[in-house]
Amino acid sequence: DGGITQSPKYLFRKEGQNVTLSCEQNLNHDAMYWYRQDPGQGLRLIYYSQIVNDFQKGDIAEGYSVSREKKESFPLTVTSAQKNPTAFYLCASSRGEVRTDTQYFGPGTRLTVL
Amino acid sequence: AQKVTQAQTEISVVEKEDVTLDCVYETRDTTYYLFWYKQPPSGELVFLIRRNSFDEQNEISGRYSWNFQKSTSSFNFTITASQVVDSAVYFCALSEPPSNDYKLSFGAGTTVTVRA
């Protein structure tokens, strides 16, 4: 089955810790994205990557970092510099051939800072 | 400035009623794309439809239909004969490739509750 997987589903972090959220896709998509969702709000773009070894900041990149060493994987690290990291994090991917290709989403990771 | 406005925060209906979700967008581009996604309680966003700015035909897919009106910058979504499984948060989103490369601008979402 083709799709996007995210792990873990739930993640708890102590203040001051860095944590890494996993995102893997087997859709052979070139582009991958990370979004943050807060209660009652739409999604906001954190980072995106159009090809391997390249990524761009989105609207709320501060306190986050990413890497794109493989086409299938786009992990997101939430650093201690992120002031309010408790949120629902969604990873997405698209073919990337056309700028407006449909983005398909993973099941999400809910991060809670204790 | 908010590019996508979903004025309805919550809608509650009884099963078999029709429900219409409003979406108003703002863009200066002539080429743009509009999307609707469904987010059930499990959390994953499910793609429903993609429409480009040059195609103003309304679309129907089963119990779902979409009404695109460029004159009023609206892309409304109707669920006919709603079912309990339609209970979810629905997001409208806008893509503006000329000015906003690769980015989707999401509305705040409308929570639909269908009661049996």
Side-chain angles (χ1 to χ4, degrees), chain A residues 37 42 50 96 99-100 102-103, chain B residues 33 37 39 50 97 101-102 107:
Chain A
Q37 184 180 17
Q50 299 176 28
R99 289 178 175 183
T100 54
T102 298
Q103 294 181 23
Chain B
Y33 292 77
Y37 286 88
Q39 186 177 40
R50 169 176 176 260
D101 196 22
Y102 276 93

Side-chain angles (χ1 to χ4, degrees), chain B residues 14-92:
Chain B
V14 177
E15 213 171 12
K16 297 185 183 178
E17 288 184 352
D18 297 348
V19 56
T20 295
L21 311 181
D22 298 332
C23 173
V24 175
Y25 61 91
E26 180 180 337
T27 180
R28 294 182 178 179
D29 292 338
T30 55
T31 301
Y32 54 89
Y33 292 77
L34 294 161
F35 301 79
W36 275 95
Y37 286 88
K38 172 183 179 180
Q39 186 177 40
S42 61
E44 179 175 351
L45 261 71
V46 177
F47 165 72
L48 296 178
I49 189 170
R50 169 176 176 260
R51 176 54 53 86
N52 74 58
S53 53
F54 299 106
D55 182 2
E56 292 192 67
Q57 284 192 355
N58 292 330
E59 181 156 342
I60 298 175
S61 176
R63 295 184 297 106
Y64 294 168
S65 62
W66 290 269
N67 182 6
F68 179 28
Q69 293 196 348
K70 286 179 76 170
S71 60
T72 56
S73 297
S74 65
F75 186 44
N76 297 337
F77 171 35
T78 297
I79 304 172
T80 303
S82 61
Q83 300 176 0
V84 173
V85 293
D86 296 326
S87 296
V89 182
Y90 292 86
F91 291 97
C92 181

